[in-house]
Structure formats: structure tokens, C-alpha cells
Amino acid sequence: MFTRATLVVLPSLLLAGSLAGCGNNKGQFSDAEICRASVATALHKDPSIFNVDDVNGKLVYVSYHEQDNWKHDIYRCKIEGTKAIWATEKGHWKTSSKDAQLTFAANEDKLTIVDTSADGQQINKHYKLEQLKVDVPSKPGLKG
């Protein structure tokens, strides 16, 4: 049975609960850590081989170096809402309907990256904060 006090308090609690979801959707993760995981997921690689080279405003630059063939690739990434948008260093942003789309969900120290191909197939990768922790860029000011 509802009392008058319950009817006054209940809408306030519902409003507070709905606003709680409107804040930070990144949990404890920085843009650099989300980008590191996202680009690694898109390329089907382990994020531990990626360095965060620079954070320039909203752009994050990550790279990895393949020991076998001395290949050094650099990627750009930016976070927009729950999307991680990426590109090669000088290439186009992966935003067309033909490109796979990367989204993420964070819950405290757990991050899920969802890689959805153009035909709707999904690959989910799960990471913990300690797997992705980035304190400062490896080479600050590289792209500044």
C-alpha cells in the first residue's frame, strides 16, 4: 500500500536513477585506454602490444611494432558517446556503412568492446582496467 510520502519520494528516486545513467559512460577508463582496446579489437590483436603515443585533445594516437617485419603502424582514435571511431594515421575514419563499428560499455573496472561488422555480426571482447592501464602517453607530444 502506498502512502502519500511514498508517492512523493518514488518519482524523485526514479528521476535520480535515470540521471545516474546520463553521466560518465566510461567507468574508470580513459579515452586512451578505450582507444587502445578498441583498435586492438578491430585489428584482432592483443592490446598489450599497443602503445599510446599521444593524446591531443580528443584524438588518441596508438601504435604497435611488429618484430617480424619491422612494420610500425600508427592509428588515430576518438571517443564519441559510446562509440570508438578509428582510422589509420593518414587514412579515412571508419564511419561508413561498409566499415565495422566499434562500441563500448564500461562498468567500473571492466570494459566490453563490441565490434559489429557491416553485415551485423558481432565480436565482444572483455578487458579489465589493469590490462589497459595507461598513465601517460609513451611519447608525449608526438603529434602535438
PDB file of all heavy atoms in Angstrom, residues 29-65:
ATOM      1  N   PHE A  29      37.761   4.094 -17.065  1.00  0.00           N
ATOM      2  CA  PHE A  29      38.641   4.068 -18.229  1.00  0.00           C
ATOM      3  C   PHE A  29      38.802   5.445 -18.848  1.00  0.00           C
ATOM      4  O   PHE A  29      37.852   6.197 -18.996  1.00  0.00           O
ATOM      5  CB  PHE A  29      38.095   3.103 -19.276  1.00  0.00           C
ATOM      6  CG  PHE A  29      38.112   1.678 -18.821  1.00  0.00           C
ATOM      7  CD1 PHE A  29      37.037   1.150 -18.126  1.00  0.00           C
ATOM      8  CD2 PHE A  29      39.202   0.864 -19.073  1.00  0.00           C
ATOM      9  CE1 PHE A  29      37.049  -0.164 -17.686  1.00  0.00           C
ATOM     10  CE2 PHE A  29      39.226  -0.447 -18.638  1.00  0.00           C
ATOM     11  CZ  PHE A  29      38.151  -0.966 -17.937  1.00  0.00           C
ATOM     12  N   SER A  30      40.024   5.745 -19.270  1.00  0.00           N
ATOM     13  CA  SER A  30      40.300   6.977 -20.002  1.00  0.00           C
ATOM     14  C   SER A  30      40.028   6.736 -21.488  1.00  0.00           C
ATOM     15  O   SER A  30      39.932   5.584 -21.939  1.00  0.00           O
ATOM     16  CB  SER A  30      41.764   7.388 -19.803  1.00  0.00           C
ATOM     17  OG  SER A  30      42.625   6.453 -20.438  1.00  0.00           O
ATOM     18  N   ASP A  31      39.962   7.814 -22.260  1.00  0.00           N
ATOM     19  CA  ASP A  31      39.825   7.683 -23.712  1.00  0.00           C
ATOM     20  C   ASP A  31      40.987   6.874 -24.283  1.00  0.00           C
ATOM     21  O   ASP A  31      40.809   6.056 -25.182  1.00  0.00           O
ATOM     22  CB  ASP A  31      39.787   9.059 -24.387  1.00  0.00           C
ATOM     23  CG  ASP A  31      38.468   9.789 -24.172  1.00  0.00           C
ATOM     24  OD1 ASP A  31      37.592   9.271 -23.444  1.00  0.00           O
ATOM     25  OD2 ASP A  31      38.316  10.882 -24.732  1.00  0.00           O
ATOM     26  N   ALA A  32      42.194   7.094 -23.753  1.00  0.00           N
ATOM     27  CA  ALA A  32      43.379   6.379 -24.249  1.00  0.00           C
ATOM     28  C   ALA A  32      43.228   4.875 -24.044  1.00  0.00           C
ATOM     29  O   ALA A  32      43.554   4.082 -24.936  1.00  0.00           O
ATOM     30  CB  ALA A  32      44.630   6.887 -23.554  1.00  0.00           C
ATOM     31  N   GLU A  33      42.727   4.469 -22.895  1.00  0.00           N
ATOM     32  CA  GLU A  33      42.566   3.044 -22.613  1.00  0.00           C
ATOM     33  C   GLU A  33      41.461   2.422 -23.463  1.00  0.00           C
ATOM     34  O   GLU A  33      41.614   1.311 -23.979  1.00  0.00           O
ATOM     35  CB  GLU A  33      42.293   2.849 -21.117  1.00  0.00           C
ATOM     36  CG  GLU A  33      43.501   3.208 -20.286  1.00  0.00           C
ATOM     37  CD  GLU A  33      43.208   3.611 -18.854  1.00  0.00           C
ATOM     38  OE1 GLU A  33      42.037   3.863 -18.507  1.00  0.00           O
ATOM     39  OE2 GLU A  33      44.171   3.683 -18.084  1.00  0.00           O
ATOM     40  N   ILE A  34      40.381   3.163 -23.665  1.00  0.00           N
ATOM     41  CA  ILE A  34      39.294   2.670 -24.519  1.00  0.00           C
ATOM     42  C   ILE A  34      39.770   2.566 -25.965  1.00  0.00           C
ATOM     43  O   ILE A  34      39.499   1.585 -26.650  1.00  0.00           O
ATOM     44  CB  ILE A  34      38.045   3.572 -24.397  1.00  0.00           C
ATOM     45  CG1 ILE A  34      37.479   3.485 -22.970  1.00  0.00           C
ATOM     46  CG2 ILE A  34      36.986   3.179 -25.425  1.00  0.00           C
ATOM     47  CD1 ILE A  34      36.438   4.533 -22.654  1.00  0.00           C
ATOM     48  N   CYS A  35      40.517   3.551 -26.421  1.00  0.00           N
ATOM     49  CA  CYS A  35      41.045   3.510 -27.791  1.00  0.00           C
ATOM     50  C   CYS A  35      42.028   2.367 -27.973  1.00  0.00           C
ATOM     51  O   CYS A  35      42.005   1.674 -28.997  1.00  0.00           O
ATOM     52  CB  CYS A  35      41.702   4.844 -28.150  1.00  0.00           C
ATOM     53  SG  CYS A  35      40.499   6.132 -28.556  1.00  0.00           S
ATOM     54  N   ARG A  36      42.887   2.166 -27.005  1.00  0.00           N
ATOM     55  CA  ARG A  36      43.852   1.067 -27.078  1.00  0.00           C
ATOM     56  C   ARG A  36      43.125  -0.266 -27.246  1.00  0.00           C
ATOM     57  O   ARG A  36      43.463  -1.077 -28.108  1.00  0.00           O
ATOM     58  CB  ARG A  36      44.697   1.070 -25.811  1.00  0.00           C
ATOM     59  CG  ARG A  36      45.803   0.070 -25.783  1.00  0.00           C
ATOM     60  CD  ARG A  36      46.578   0.207 -24.495  1.00  0.00           C
ATOM     61  NE  ARG A  36      47.717  -0.677 -24.490  1.00  0.00           N
ATOM     62  CZ  ARG A  36      48.376  -0.996 -23.402  1.00  0.00           C
ATOM     63  NH1 ARG A  36      48.035  -0.498 -22.241  1.00  0.00           N
ATOM     64  NH2 ARG A  36      49.394  -1.818 -23.473  1.00  0.00           N
ATOM     65  N   ALA A  37      42.093  -0.487 -26.445  1.00  0.00           N
ATOM     66  CA  ALA A  37      41.319  -1.729 -26.530  1.00  0.00           C
ATOM     67  C   ALA A  37      40.522  -1.807 -27.826  1.00  0.00           C
ATOM     68  O   ALA A  37      40.418  -2.872 -28.435  1.00  0.00           O
ATOM     69  CB  ALA A  37      40.382  -1.839 -25.333  1.00  0.00           C
ATOM     70  N   SER A  38      39.972  -0.694 -28.263  1.00  0.00           N
ATOM     71  CA  SER A  38      39.131  -0.682 -29.464  1.00  0.00           C
ATOM     72  C   SER A  38      39.920  -0.980 -30.728  1.00  0.00           C
ATOM     73  O   SER A  38      39.515  -1.809 -31.548  1.00  0.00           O
ATOM     74  CB  SER A  38      38.421   0.672 -29.597  1.00  0.00           C
ATOM     75  OG  SER A  38      37.557   0.884 -28.503  1.00  0.00           O
ATOM     76  N   VAL A  39      41.052  -0.302 -30.901  1.00  0.00           N
ATOM     77  CA  VAL A  39      41.871  -0.536 -32.100  1.00  0.00           C
ATOM     78  C   VAL A  39      42.407  -1.968 -32.079  1.00  0.00           C
ATOM     79  O   VAL A  39      42.411  -2.655 -33.106  1.00  0.00           O
ATOM     80  CB  VAL A  39      43.003   0.511 -32.218  1.00  0.00           C
ATOM     81  CG1 VAL A  39      43.951   0.166 -33.357  1.00  0.00           C
ATOM     82  CG2 VAL A  39      42.407   1.909 -32.422  1.00  0.00           C
ATOM     83  N   ALA A  40      42.827  -2.438 -30.933  1.00  0.00           N
ATOM     84  CA  ALA A  40      43.313  -3.821 -30.826  1.00  0.00           C
ATOM     85  C   ALA A  40      42.207  -4.809 -31.199  1.00  0.00           C
ATOM     86  O   ALA A  40      42.456  -5.777 -31.928  1.00  0.00           O
ATOM     87  CB  ALA A  40      43.810  -4.097 -29.407  1.00  0.00           C
ATOM     88  N   THR A  41      40.993  -4.550 -30.747  1.00  0.00           N
ATOM     89  CA  THR A  41      39.858  -5.426 -31.072  1.00  0.00           C
ATOM     90  C   THR A  41      39.582  -5.402 -32.572  1.00  0.00           C
ATOM     91  O   THR A  41      39.409  -6.448 -33.197  1.00  0.00           O
ATOM     92  CB  THR A  41      38.603  -5.010 -30.285  1.00  0.00           C
ATOM     93  OG1 THR A  41      38.875  -5.137 -28.884  1.00  0.00           O
ATOM     94  CG2 THR A  41      37.412  -5.878 -30.642  1.00  0.00           C
ATOM     95  N   ALA A  42      39.576  -4.217 -33.160  1.00  0.00           N
ATOM     96  CA  ALA A  42      39.302  -4.085 -34.595  1.00  0.00           C
ATOM     97  C   ALA A  42      40.339  -4.827 -35.430  1.00  0.00           C
ATOM     98  O   ALA A  42      40.012  -5.404 -36.468  1.00  0.00           O
ATOM     99  CB  ALA A  42      39.276  -2.616 -34.996  1.00  0.00           C
ATOM    100  N   LEU A  43      41.587  -4.841 -34.958  1.00  0.00           N
ATOM    101  CA  LEU A  43      42.670  -5.465 -35.704  1.00  0.00           C
ATOM    102  C   LEU A  43      42.939  -6.908 -35.264  1.00  0.00           C
ATOM    103  O   LEU A  43      43.883  -7.537 -35.743  1.00  0.00           O
ATOM    104  CB  LEU A  43      43.941  -4.630 -35.560  1.00  0.00           C
ATOM    105  CG  LEU A  43      43.848  -3.207 -36.129  1.00  0.00           C
ATOM    106  CD1 LEU A  43      45.094  -2.421 -35.787  1.00  0.00           C
ATOM    107  CD2 LEU A  43      43.608  -3.243 -37.622  1.00  0.00           C
ATOM    108  N   HIS A  44      42.134  -7.402 -34.339  1.00  0.00           N
ATOM    109  CA  HIS A  44      42.265  -8.777 -33.827  1.00  0.00           C
ATOM    110  C   HIS A  44      43.653  -9.014 -33.225  1.00  0.00           C
ATOM    111  O   HIS A  44      44.302 -10.010 -33.507  1.00  0.00           O
ATOM    112  CB  HIS A  44      41.953  -9.809 -34.912  1.00  0.00           C
ATOM    113  CG  HIS A  44      40.647  -9.566 -35.590  1.00  0.00           C
ATOM    114  ND1 HIS A  44      39.437  -9.822 -34.991  1.00  0.00           N
ATOM    115  CD2 HIS A  44      40.359  -9.062 -36.804  1.00  0.00           C
ATOM    116  CE1 HIS A  44      38.453  -9.488 -35.809  1.00  0.00           C
ATOM    117  NE2 HIS A  44      38.993  -9.018 -36.921  1.00  0.00           N
ATOM    118  N   LYS A  45      44.086  -8.050 -32.417  1.00  0.00           N
ATOM    119  CA  LYS A  45      45.396  -8.131 -31.769  1.00  0.00           C
ATOM    120  C   LYS A  45      45.211  -7.969 -30.258  1.00  0.00           C
ATOM    121  O   LYS A  45      44.200  -7.475 -29.793  1.00  0.00           O
ATOM    122  CB  LYS A  45      46.323  -7.034 -32.287  1.00  0.00           C
ATOM    123  CG  LYS A  45      46.463  -7.009 -33.794  1.00  0.00           C
ATOM    124  CD  LYS A  45      47.873  -7.239 -34.198  1.00  0.00           C
ATOM    125  CE  LYS A  45      48.017  -7.165 -35.698  1.00  0.00           C
ATOM    126  NZ  LYS A  45      48.558  -8.355 -36.266  1.00  0.00           N
ATOM    127  N   ASP A  46      46.231  -8.346 -29.526  1.00  0.00           N
ATOM    128  CA  ASP A  46      46.235  -8.173 -28.079  1.00  0.00           C
ATOM    129  C   ASP A  46      46.555  -6.705 -27.772  1.00  0.00           C
ATOM    130  O   ASP A  46      47.525  -6.158 -28.309  1.00  0.00           O
ATOM    131  CB  ASP A  46      47.300  -9.081 -27.462  1.00  0.00           C
ATOM    132  CG  ASP A  46      47.242  -9.097 -25.957  1.00  0.00           C
ATOM    133  OD1 ASP A  46      47.206  -8.015 -25.338  1.00  0.00           O
ATOM    134  OD2 ASP A  46      47.241 -10.202 -25.397  1.00  0.00           O
ATOM    135  N   PRO A  47      45.782  -6.054 -26.908  1.00  0.00           N
ATOM    136  CA  PRO A  47      46.040  -4.639 -26.638  1.00  0.00           C
ATOM    137  C   PRO A  47      47.390  -4.373 -25.967  1.00  0.00           C
ATOM    138  O   PRO A  47      47.905  -3.262 -26.032  1.00  0.00           O
ATOM    139  CB  PRO A  47      44.889  -4.216 -25.724  1.00  0.00           C
ATOM    140  CG  PRO A  47      44.326  -5.464 -25.188  1.00  0.00           C
ATOM    141  CD  PRO A  47      44.614  -6.542 -26.185  1.00  0.00           C
ATOM    142  N   SER A  48      47.987  -5.395 -25.382  1.00  0.00           N
ATOM    143  CA  SER A  48      49.273  -5.188 -24.709  1.00  0.00           C
ATOM    144  C   SER A  48      50.395  -4.815 -25.675  1.00  0.00           C
ATOM    145  O   SER A  48      51.404  -4.243 -25.255  1.00  0.00           O
ATOM    146  CB  SER A  48      49.666  -6.434 -23.912  1.00  0.00           C
ATOM    147  OG  SER A  48      49.957  -7.505 -24.778  1.00  0.00           O
ATOM    148  N   ILE A  49      50.217  -5.099 -26.964  1.00  0.00           N
ATOM    149  CA  ILE A  49      51.269  -4.743 -27.927  1.00  0.00           C
ATOM    150  C   ILE A  49      51.135  -3.308 -28.434  1.00  0.00           C
ATOM    151  O   ILE A  49      51.982  -2.836 -29.176  1.00  0.00           O
ATOM    152  CB  ILE A  49      51.318  -5.726 -29.127  1.00  0.00           C
ATOM    153  CG1 ILE A  49      50.080  -5.595 -30.010  1.00  0.00           C
ATOM    154  CG2 ILE A  49      51.545  -7.145 -28.652  1.00  0.00           C
ATOM    155  CD1 ILE A  49      50.188  -6.345 -31.329  1.00  0.00           C
ATOM    156  N   PHE A  50      50.067  -2.617 -28.028  1.00  0.00           N
ATOM    157  CA  PHE A  50      49.826  -1.249 -28.474  1.00  0.00           C
ATOM    158  C   PHE A  50      50.352  -0.253 -27.454  1.00  0.00           C
ATOM    159  O   PHE A  50      50.159  -0.410 -26.254  1.00  0.00           O
ATOM    160  CB  PHE A  50      48.334  -1.001 -28.694  1.00  0.00           C
ATOM    161  CG  PHE A  50      47.812  -1.628 -29.939  1.00  0.00           C
ATOM    162  CD1 PHE A  50      47.452  -2.967 -29.956  1.00  0.00           C
ATOM    163  CD2 PHE A  50      47.694  -0.906 -31.120  1.00  0.00           C
ATOM    164  CE1 PHE A  50      46.980  -3.571 -31.104  1.00  0.00           C
ATOM    165  CE2 PHE A  50      47.225  -1.501 -32.279  1.00  0.00           C
ATOM    166  CZ  PHE A  50      46.873  -2.832 -32.269  1.00  0.00           C
ATOM    167  N   ASN A  51      51.012   0.773 -27.959  1.00  0.00           N
ATOM    168  CA  ASN A  51      51.453   1.898 -27.138  1.00  0.00           C
ATOM    169  C   ASN A  51      50.528   3.070 -27.387  1.00  0.00           C
ATOM    170  O   ASN A  51      50.079   3.281 -28.519  1.00  0.00           O
ATOM    171  CB  ASN A  51      52.875   2.325 -27.513  1.00  0.00           C
ATOM    172  CG  ASN A  51      53.892   1.282 -27.188  1.00  0.00           C
ATOM    173  OD1 ASN A  51      53.859   0.687 -26.124  1.00  0.00           O
ATOM    174  ND2 ASN A  51      54.792   1.042 -28.122  1.00  0.00           N
ATOM    175  N   VAL A  52      50.293   3.854 -26.362  1.00  0.00           N
ATOM    176  CA  VAL A  52      49.606   5.131 -26.543  1.00  0.00           C
ATOM    177  C   VAL A  52      50.705   6.152 -26.736  1.00  0.00           C
ATOM    178  O   VAL A  52      51.474   6.438 -25.832  1.00  0.00           O
ATOM    179  CB  VAL A  52      48.713   5.476 -25.330  1.00  0.00           C
ATOM    180  CG1 VAL A  52      48.136   6.875 -25.480  1.00  0.00           C
ATOM    181  CG2 VAL A  52      47.604   4.444 -25.184  1.00  0.00           C
ATOM    182  N   ASP A  53      50.806   6.663 -27.965  1.00  0.00           N
ATOM    183  CA  ASP A  53      51.886   7.578 -28.318  1.00  0.00           C
ATOM    184  C   ASP A  53      51.586   9.026 -27.969  1.00  0.00           C
ATOM    185  O   ASP A  53      52.488   9.786 -27.650  1.00  0.00           O
ATOM    186  CB  ASP A  53      52.198   7.486 -29.812  1.00  0.00           C
ATOM    187  CG  ASP A  53      52.766   6.129 -30.189  1.00  0.00           C
ATOM    188  OD1 ASP A  53      53.395   5.482 -29.336  1.00  0.00           O
ATOM    189  OD2 ASP A  53      52.565   5.703 -31.339  1.00  0.00           O
ATOM    190  N   ASP A  54      50.305   9.395 -28.069  1.00  0.00           N
ATOM    191  CA  ASP A  54      49.960  10.789 -27.816  1.00  0.00           C
ATOM    192  C   ASP A  54      48.463  10.904 -27.591  1.00  0.00           C
ATOM    193  O   ASP A  54      47.677  10.127 -28.138  1.00  0.00           O
ATOM    194  CB  ASP A  54      50.373  11.660 -29.010  1.00  0.00           C
ATOM    195  CG  ASP A  54      50.386  13.153 -28.686  1.00  0.00           C
ATOM    196  OD1 ASP A  54      50.383  13.522 -27.495  1.00  0.00           O
ATOM    197  OD2 ASP A  54      50.408  13.955 -29.631  1.00  0.00           O
ATOM    198  N   VAL A  55      48.098  11.888 -26.783  1.00  0.00           N
ATOM    199  CA  VAL A  55      46.704  12.281 -26.619  1.00  0.00           C
ATOM    200  C   VAL A  55      46.688  13.767 -26.914  1.00  0.00           C
ATOM    201  O   VAL A  55      47.317  14.554 -26.221  1.00  0.00           O
ATOM    202  CB  VAL A  55      46.188  11.979 -25.194  1.00  0.00           C
ATOM    203  CG1 VAL A  55      44.751  12.449 -25.045  1.00  0.00           C
ATOM    204  CG2 VAL A  55      46.320  10.496 -24.874  1.00  0.00           C
ATOM    205  N   ASN A  56      46.002  14.141 -27.992  1.00  0.00           N
ATOM    206  CA  ASN A  56      45.975  15.520 -28.448  1.00  0.00           C
ATOM    207  C   ASN A  56      44.522  15.962 -28.500  1.00  0.00           C
ATOM    208  O   ASN A  56      43.827  15.697 -29.477  1.00  0.00           O
ATOM    209  CB  ASN A  56      46.645  15.621 -29.818  1.00  0.00           C
ATOM    210  CG  ASN A  56      46.803  17.043 -30.284  1.00  0.00           C
ATOM    211  OD1 ASN A  56      46.298  17.966 -29.664  1.00  0.00           O
ATOM    212  ND2 ASN A  56      47.501  17.216 -31.383  1.00  0.00           N
ATOM    213  N   GLY A  57      44.058  16.590 -27.424  1.00  0.00           N
ATOM    214  CA  GLY A  57      42.646  16.937 -27.334  1.00  0.00           C
ATOM    215  C   GLY A  57      41.825  15.666 -27.245  1.00  0.00           C
ATOM    216  O   GLY A  57      42.057  14.829 -26.384  1.00  0.00           O
ATOM    217  N   LYS A  58      40.906  15.493 -28.173  1.00  0.00           N
ATOM    218  CA  LYS A  58      40.074  14.294 -28.189  1.00  0.00           C
ATOM    219  C   LYS A  58      40.663  13.168 -29.024  1.00  0.00           C
ATOM    220  O   LYS A  58      40.121  12.085 -29.066  1.00  0.00           O
ATOM    221  CB  LYS A  58      38.674  14.637 -28.690  1.00  0.00           C
ATOM    222  CG  LYS A  58      37.922  15.527 -27.732  1.00  0.00           C
ATOM    223  CD  LYS A  58      36.476  15.645 -28.128  1.00  0.00           C
ATOM    224  CE  LYS A  58      35.744  16.460 -27.103  1.00  0.00           C
ATOM    225  NZ  LYS A  58      34.820  15.677 -26.346  1.00  0.00           N
ATOM    226  N   LEU A  59      41.774  13.435 -29.695  1.00  0.00           N
ATOM    227  CA  LEU A  59      42.413  12.407 -30.510  1.00  0.00           C
ATOM    228  C   LEU A  59      43.451  11.636 -29.708  1.00  0.00           C
ATOM    229  O   LEU A  59      44.254  12.223 -28.984  1.00  0.00           O
ATOM    230  CB  LEU A  59      43.111  13.027 -31.721  1.00  0.00           C
ATOM    231  CG  LEU A  59      42.224  13.530 -32.846  1.00  0.00           C
ATOM    232  CD1 LEU A  59      43.087  14.079 -33.979  1.00  0.00           C
ATOM    233  CD2 LEU A  59      41.316  12.447 -33.359  1.00  0.00           C
ATOM    234  N   VAL A  60      43.396  10.327 -29.869  1.00  0.00           N
ATOM    235  CA  VAL A  60      44.375   9.446 -29.235  1.00  0.00           C
ATOM    236  C   VAL A  60      45.135   8.741 -30.354  1.00  0.00           C
ATOM    237  O   VAL A  60      44.522   8.250 -31.305  1.00  0.00           O
ATOM    238  CB  VAL A  60      43.672   8.399 -28.336  1.00  0.00           C
ATOM    239  CG1 VAL A  60      44.675   7.431 -27.740  1.00  0.00           C
ATOM    240  CG2 VAL A  60      42.864   9.090 -27.239  1.00  0.00           C
ATOM    241  N   TYR A  61      46.446   8.717 -30.245  1.00  0.00           N
ATOM    242  CA  TYR A  61      47.281   8.026 -31.222  1.00  0.00           C
ATOM    243  C   TYR A  61      47.860   6.778 -30.563  1.00  0.00           C
ATOM    244  O   TYR A  61      48.504   6.874 -29.513  1.00  0.00           O
ATOM    245  CB  TYR A  61      48.418   8.931 -31.707  1.00  0.00           C
ATOM    246  CG  TYR A  61      47.935  10.084 -32.546  1.00  0.00           C
ATOM    247  CD1 TYR A  61      47.499  11.260 -31.958  1.00  0.00           C
ATOM    248  CD2 TYR A  61      47.908   9.979 -33.933  1.00  0.00           C
ATOM    249  CE1 TYR A  61      47.042  12.316 -32.731  1.00  0.00           C
ATOM    250  CE2 TYR A  61      47.459  11.033 -34.711  1.00  0.00           C
ATOM    251  CZ  TYR A  61      47.019  12.194 -34.103  1.00  0.00           C
ATOM    252  OH  TYR A  61      46.574  13.240 -34.868  1.00  0.00           O
ATOM    253  N   VAL A  62      47.587   5.621 -31.168  1.00  0.00           N
ATOM    254  CA  VAL A  62      48.139   4.359 -30.673  1.00  0.00           C
ATOM    255  C   VAL A  62      48.943   3.715 -31.788  1.00  0.00           C
ATOM    256  O   VAL A  62      48.686   3.953 -32.971  1.00  0.00           O
ATOM    257  CB  VAL A  62      47.038   3.387 -30.169  1.00  0.00           C
ATOM    258  CG1 VAL A  62      46.302   3.967 -28.980  1.00  0.00           C
ATOM    259  CG2 VAL A  62      46.071   3.021 -31.268  1.00  0.00           C
ATOM    260  N   SER A  63      49.918   2.901 -31.406  1.00  0.00           N
ATOM    261  CA  SER A  63      50.740   2.243 -32.415  1.00  0.00           C
ATOM    262  C   SER A  63      51.209   0.895 -31.907  1.00  0.00           C
ATOM    263  O   SER A  63      51.151   0.614 -30.709  1.00  0.00           O
ATOM    264  CB  SER A  63      51.954   3.101 -32.766  1.00  0.00           C
ATOM    265  OG  SER A  63      52.842   3.174 -31.665  1.00  0.00           O
ATOM    266  N   TYR A  64      51.656   0.098 -32.842  1.00  0.00           N
ATOM    267  CA  TYR A  64      52.344  -1.137 -32.476  1.00  0.00           C
ATOM    268  C   TYR A  64      53.421  -1.426 -33.501  1.00  0.00           C
ATOM    269  O   TYR A  64      53.389  -0.948 -34.615  1.00  0.00           O
ATOM    270  CB  TYR A  64      51.378  -2.310 -32.296  1.00  0.00           C
ATOM    271  CG  TYR A  64      50.891  -2.963 -33.570  1.00  0.00           C
ATOM    272  CD1 TYR A  64      51.515  -4.103 -34.069  1.00  0.00           C
ATOM    273  CD2 TYR A  64      49.791  -2.461 -34.253  1.00  0.00           C
ATOM    274  CE1 TYR A  64      51.066  -4.702 -35.224  1.00  0.00           C
ATOM    275  CE2 TYR A  64      49.333  -3.063 -35.403  1.00  0.00           C
ATOM    276  CZ  TYR A  64      49.975  -4.181 -35.881  1.00  0.00           C
ATOM    277  OH  TYR A  64      49.536  -4.778 -37.027  1.00  0.00           O
ATOM    278  N   HIS A  65      54.373  -2.198 -33.057  1.00  0.00           N
ATOM    279  CA  HIS A  65      55.546  -2.502 -33.862  1.00  0.00           C
ATOM    280  C   HIS A  65      55.648  -4.014 -33.997  1.00  0.00           C
ATOM    281  O   HIS A  65      55.725  -4.715 -32.996  1.00  0.00           O
ATOM    282  CB  HIS A  65      56.796  -1.943 -33.171  1.00  0.00           C
ATOM    283  CG  HIS A  65      58.058  -2.177 -33.911  1.00  0.00           C
ATOM    284  ND1 HIS A  65      58.493  -1.339 -34.901  1.00  0.00           N
ATOM    285  CD2 HIS A  65      58.981  -3.164 -33.823  1.00  0.00           C
ATOM    286  CE1 HIS A  65      59.640  -1.790 -35.373  1.00  0.00           C
ATOM    287  NE2 HIS A  65      59.950  -2.903 -34.739  1.00  0.00           N
TER     288      HIS A  65
END
